[in-house]
Amino acid sequence: MKKADAFEFYRRLAEDDPAPETELDYQNPYTLLVAVALSAQATDVSVNKATKALFEDVRTPGAMVALGEAELKHHIRTIGLFNTKAKNVIALSEKLIAEHGGEVPADRDALEALPGVGRKTANVVMNVAFGAETIAVDTHIFRVGNRTGLARGKTPLAVELKLEKITPAPFRRHAHHWLILHGRYICKARRPECWRCPVADLCAYKPKTPAPPPPAAKAATAR
């Protein structure tokens, strides 16, 4: 995608949603880190349900370690891979206490050194908690980048680097959320809703998905 088109692409997304936010519920950088770590291969909705009661009492690494792995598993048992995730959350909490005074570091390399924290999780925490202009490429952003032609790449890192290069400065802070929300609600995996997409004319995807028939037409076809 040309730079002028990329600017217009983001401008329209920004016009529709000037201040996008994460859909994960959290209270501070630590609970955000935990929520993002739990969200791997799980929906934000399922994570929010699992952490609602957990985060009422556990909001620091010390409180999480005191809770213990077994009790944490009980809280998050409805989330996929909860056994491994519980082990990692306890381990990263212990490391935060031992190496960072119980605080979440505002440094991507330090975050990636924590158990169970990869580049995507670190980028989300850097962006949401500390305002860094990072772009965490999940399945939604990977799809949007490749499908629209905004940033094509064979790996999440390749897409991330291309997005960093083509995203205009005014839109870097919120680019991550605009793209993920666009992929989650409009540029869907199985059937993108091109008929209501604000950037359809800038998108390389073809053929564009037509609007579904109105209810009356569906009923007539079924007869």
Side-chain angles (χ1 to χ4, degrees):
M1 188 178 291
K2 296 179 181 178
K3 288 188 176 181
D5 289 340
F7 187 96
E8 180 63 12
F9 185 101
Y10 281 111
R11 188 198 67 76
R12 293 182 194 177
L13 295 183
E15 186 176 51
D16 282 354
D17 188 3
E21 297 180 351
T22 179
E23 294 186 322
L24 286 170
D25 294 335
Y26 69 100
Q27 289 73 34
N28 55 33
Y30 174 70
T31 54
L32 172 67
L33 173 61
V34 172
V36 179
L38 294 177
S39 71
Q41 299 182 47
T43 65
D44 288 359
V45 172
S46 68
V47 172
N48 290 340
K49 287 181 179 179
T51 59
K52 183 177 181 180
L54 175 66
F55 289 163
E56 287 179 0
D57 299 315
V58 179
R59 300 186 179 186
T60 66
M64 187 67 76
V65 172
L67 179 70
E69 186 176 329
E71 188 61 26
L72 176 57
K73 286 181 181 179
H74 176 75
H75 278 282
I76 66 172
R77 64 190 183 280
T78 56
I79 301 176
L81 305 175
F82 72 93
N83 284 313
T84 299
K85 290 177 180 178
K87 181 178 180 180
N88 285 335
V89 168
I90 295 299
L92 72 83
S93 299
E94 291 173 338
K95 190 163 185 175
L96 287 175
I97 295 170
E99 300 182 10
H100 301 284
E103 299 294 327
V104 176
D107 179 85
R108 184 162 58 190
D109 290 339
L111 287 168
E112 286 191 67
L114 297 172
V117 176
R119 186 179 180 88
K120 179 174 74 69
T121 296
N123 277 340
V124 173
V125 173
M126 289 297 296
N127 179 264
V128 177
F130 304 115
E133 296 178 348
T134 52
I135 301 175
V137 179
D138 67 349
T139 55
H140 295 299
I141 296 180
F142 185 78
R143 178 175 66 256
V144 170
N146 278 285
R147 180 183 278 168
T148 63
L150 179 65
R152 289 195 170 109
K154 293 183 178 181
T155 66
L157 179 58
V159 171
E160 178 187 335
L161 296 177
K162 288 187 177 181
L163 284 172
E164 288 182 348
K165 186 175 181 179
I166 198 169
T167 301
F171 305 113
R172 286 180 173 273
R173 175 66 177 83
H174 295 303
H176 164 77
H177 286 113
W178 283 318
L179 295 175
I180 193 172
L181 294 173
H182 186 68
R184 184 173 291 167
Y185 296 111
I186 295 180
C187 196
K188 300 176 181 179
R190 292 188 178 182
R191 191 171 188 269
E193 299 182 359
C194 304
W195 68 89
R196 66 184 191 90
C197 175
V199 293
D201 59 311
L202 302 172
C203 171
Y205 179 73
K206 294 179 181 180
K208 296 293 191 286
T209 308
K218 287 183 179 179
T221 303
R223 294 194 189 102

